[in-house]
């Protein structure tokens, strides 16, 4: 199957694209987009891969589901388009960065600037029906994104995986922790953050310290 994804990923993931589950997934997604309003826009489903090419991956942040309200999702987990009100989890991410690194809270919630520096902002499910959280879960996306995580683990070394919340933490089984590094904490959602499981994790300074130790450029968070 010919999938429109950046060439650096295409050659590594072609085996997945040719599997029956992926063909079924494509049929499901095409049907959903033809019958309902879905997010992100069709040409942004693989946006994370367009902005963070395989050879550039230094950090992986794992989300669960795209935002499902109008104008929010654009293919990068936790990120929203310029000018869009910041969702609660993103607010808490920016607050932690401010506390951790002293970087002022930004106007824009668009995290493309991170992706362009080698941060893969990967949702486990890449599409969603408008206003119906989780509506495209268990249709095959998770099989594909698990394969992405395993491909990174198998074919790179020294990548930092940020595992926020119980769902992301389960992905550690796909990661060779002898070759890669990981940072775990609670999820930045208010439910978790307000219970003391997010703030103070200092993941952003820790990630930059690990990158500098490996003689890599730190991320401008």
């Amino acid at each position: 199957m010919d999938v429109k994804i950046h060439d650096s990923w295409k050659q590594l993931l072609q085996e997945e694209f040719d599997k029956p589950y992926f063909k079924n997934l494509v049929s499901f997604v095409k049907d959903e987009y033809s019958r309902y309003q879905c997010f992100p826009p069709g040409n942004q489903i693989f946006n994370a891969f367009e902005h963070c090419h395989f050879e550039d991956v230094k950090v992986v942040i794992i989300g669960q589901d795209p935002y499902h309200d109008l104008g929010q999702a654009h293919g990068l987990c936790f990120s929203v388009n310029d000018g869009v009100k910041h969702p609660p989890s993103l607010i808490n991410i920016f607050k932690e960065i401010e506390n951790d690194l002293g970087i002022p809270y930004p106007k824009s919630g668009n995290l493309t600037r991170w992706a362009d520096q080698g941060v893969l902002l990967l949702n486990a499910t890449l599409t969603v029906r408008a206003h119906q959280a989780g509506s495209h879960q268990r249709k095959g996306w998770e099989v594909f994104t698990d394969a992405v995580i395993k491909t990174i683990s198998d074919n790179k070394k020294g990548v930092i995986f940020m595992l926020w919340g119980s769902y992301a933490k389960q992905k550690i089984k796909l990661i060779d922790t002898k070759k890669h590094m990981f940072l775990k904490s609670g999820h930045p959602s208010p439910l978790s953050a307000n219970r003391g499981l997010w703030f103070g994790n200092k993941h952003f300074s820790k990630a930059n310290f690990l990158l500098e130790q490996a003689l890599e450029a730190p991320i401008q968070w």
Side-chain angles (χ1 to χ4, degrees):
M1 177 171 281
D2 187 35
V3 175
K4 289 180 181 174
I5 193 170
H6 190 268
D7 286 345
S8 66
W9 293 98
K10 193 166 193 172
Q11 55 191 347
L12 289 159
L13 297 170
Q14 188 58 52
E15 197 175 305
E16 293 302 309
F17 300 145
D18 292 335
K19 288 178 179 177
Y21 88 85
F22 197 86
K23 293 175 182 177
N24 293 337
L25 172 62
V26 168
S27 296
F28 167 76
V29 170
K30 282 182 176 175
D31 182 60
E32 284 283 298
Y33 273 71
S34 69
R35 295 169 60 204
Y36 307 100
Q37 186 175 33
C38 295
F39 301 124
N43 64 353
Q44 295 179 359
I45 291 171
F46 293 109
N47 215 14
F49 304 92
E50 292 301 317
H51 284 279
C52 184
H53 304 162
F54 177 77
E55 60 272 14
D56 299 328
V57 176
K58 299 196 286 192
V59 177
V60 178
I61 297 177
I62 299 169
Q64 192 163 356
D65 214 36
Y67 296 125
H68 53 80
D69 284 336
L70 190 65
Q72 292 180 310
H74 63 126
L76 309 177
C77 72
F78 295 107
S79 180
V80 291
N81 285 300
D82 292 323
V84 174
K85 183 182 175 185
H86 300 178
S89 290
L90 185 59
I91 290 171
N92 288 336
I93 288 169
F94 286 149
K95 282 181 177 176
E96 177 57 25
I97 291 171
E98 193 169 25
N99 293 334
D100 185 14
L101 296 170
I103 296 171
Y105 190 102
K107 285 194 175 104
S108 175
N110 190 329
L111 304 181
T112 301
R113 62 188 184 276
W114 295 4
D116 289 340
Q117 295 176 76
V119 181
L120 183 66
L121 295 162
L122 182 68
N123 271 319
T125 303
L126 297 187
T127 57
V128 69
R129 196 187 294 181
H131 317 303
Q132 294 187 37
S135 49
H136 289 185
Q137 290 178 2
R138 293 178 290 281
K139 302 295 182 183
W141 276 131
E142 297 92 337
V143 180
F144 171 68
T145 52
D146 279 0
V148 170
I149 295 167
K150 191 156 190 332
T151 296
I152 295 167
S153 178
D154 290 350
N155 293 282
K156 292 184 75 79
K157 62 180 180 180
V159 174
I160 302 162
F161 290 85
M162 291 184 167
L163 308 176
W164 300 341
S166 58
Y167 185 85
K169 287 174 186 174
Q170 293 169 22
K171 303 299 180 183
I172 197 151
K173 64 181 183 289
L174 305 166
I175 301 163
D176 183 345
T177 54
K178 295 186 181 72
K179 289 168 58 185
H180 302 282
M181 297 157 284
F182 61 92
L183 299 169
K184 286 184 178 181
S185 86
H187 196 274
S189 68
L191 188 67
S192 176
N194 294 340
R195 285 164 43 215
L197 302 175
W198 166 255
F199 290 116
N201 66 28
K202 298 191 181 297
H203 276 194
F204 304 96
S205 61
K206 287 175 181 175
N208 279 353
F209 174 78
L210 292 169
L211 289 170
E212 287 171 335
Q213 290 289 101
L215 305 179
E216 294 267 13
I219 305 298
Q220 300 300 312
W221 300 106

